[in-house]
Amino acid sequence: AQSVTQPDIHITVSEGASLELRCNYSYGATPYLFWYVQSPGQGLQLLLKYFSGDTLVQGIKGFEAEFKRSQSSFNLRKPSVHWSDAAEYFCAVGFKAAGNKLTFGGGTRVLVKP
Amino acid sequence: NAGVTQTPKFRVLKTGQSMTLLCAQDMNHEYMYWYRQDPGMGLRLIHYSVGEGTTAKGEVPDGYNVSRLKKQNFLLGLESAAPSQTSVYFCASNFGGSSSSYNSPLHFGNGTRLTVT
């Protein structure tokens, strides 16, 4: 079965600093990859997705992610963090063989210091 | 633009009680899902439906039942609640596996926080 690992449970970053969240998956086939963000008390909102093509994808709120097949990774980045980026971030992976079922990572909670 | 609406938002149950969570979507989505969210474990799929009248088991289906009598509604039932079912429950929907929208992004409700004492 596929699995998704987000190694960092918590990350604290200063406002204006750069942010990188790690995501690794395990499976042999080409995945569909997503990053979602969850603000407190809210559902999950899609930040960006990768299906095929250019391995560097741009999302909303200034986020981008890069798919690296050789490392089975899909890390999320933002050059300059804003206080409103404090939230929990989830990486999710799907595979054609699994239909539309996504497997989610455990999440990374981001705290932003003033 | 309601999107995905879950009711109720909060609920406290005693062990052994039953309840039903309601999910409604107004986007004409074919696929609907129920997830539970627990700290450090991300979201785990409980049951899902690929169309009206169909349901299927996900990763953690035990102790739950679902029904999809109408395309826009997906109900999650707990027949005899247990403390292990204390969690935040999310409903989600998407267009599903059509050729033009394979693995289309999920749209989530705002969740139901359930406590079983």
Side-chain angles (χ1 to χ4, degrees):
Chain A
Q2 61 262 28
S3 65
V4 181
T5 302
Q6 293 179 245
D8 304 305
I9 297 174
H10 293 101
I11 286 182
T12 300
V13 61
S14 296
E15 191 168 15
S18 63
L19 174 68
E20 180 167 12
L21 305 183
R22 295 182 290 165
C23 173
N24 294 91
Y25 65 91
S26 66
Y27 197 75
T30 300
Y32 303 98
L33 298 157
F34 305 83
W35 275 99
Y36 286 86
V37 60
Q38 183 182 33
S39 299
Q42 302 294 312
L44 279 70
Q45 180 187 18
L46 180 69
L47 279 177
L48 48 77
K49 61 186 179 182
Y50 171 79
F51 285 176
S52 64
D54 192 347
T55 57
L56 183 64
V57 293
Q58 304 297 320
I60 62 172
K61 304 185 181 187
F63 284 92
E64 66 178 26
E66 186 172 13
F67 170 53
K68 292 186 177 180
R69 185 188 303 276
S70 61
Q71 298 178 17
S72 297
S73 68
F74 189 55
N75 293 350
L76 181 71
R77 299 192 291 256
K78 185 168 184 177
S80 178
V81 168
H82 187 262
W83 65 265
S84 60
D85 294 324
E88 189 156 20
Y89 294 80
F90 292 92
C91 179
V93 178
F95 300 92
K96 193 170 184 178
N100 277 278
K101 298 187 293 295
L102 296 185
T103 299
F104 284 83
T108 299
R109 185 170 297 279
V110 173
L111 304 176
V112 180
K113 295 191 300 184
Chain B
N1 287 344
V4 179
T5 303
Q6 291 182 232
T7 53
K9 290 183 169 51
F10 303 93
R11 186 73 186 267
V12 179
L13 289 179
K14 295 186 186 304
T15 298
Q17 287 185 318
S18 63
M19 77 162 294
T20 300
L21 307 183
L22 172 63
C23 177
Q25 53 93 5
D26 61 1
M27 296 171 284
N28 201 33
H29 284 166
E30 201 66 34
Y31 286 36
M32 297 186 74
Y33 311 79
W34 276 106
Y35 288 89
R36 60 177 289 173
Q37 182 182 26
D38 302 290
M41 303 186 75
L43 278 75
R44 293 180 291 167
L45 183 64
I46 304 171
H47 286 281
Y48 65 103
S49 167
V50 301
E52 182 178 319
T54 73
T55 64
K57 294 180 180 180
E59 188 183 348
V60 288
D62 294 343
Y64 305 95
N65 57 75
V66 288
S67 65
R68 183 98 180 268
L69 298 180
K70 294 182 179 181
K71 185 176 183 178
Q72 63 268 34
N73 295 338
F74 194 31
L75 278 63
L76 177 71
L78 286 73
E79 290 185 348
S80 179
S84 61
Q85 294 177 304
T86 294
S87 186
V88 181
Y89 292 85
F90 285 98
C91 177
S93 67
N94 67 358
F95 284 110
S98 69
S99 59
S100 62
S101 59
Y102 193 86
N103 251 328
S104 64
L106 295 173
H107 294 256
F108 284 86
N110 286 339
T112 296
R113 184 173 295 276
L114 174 66
T115 302
V116 183
T117 61

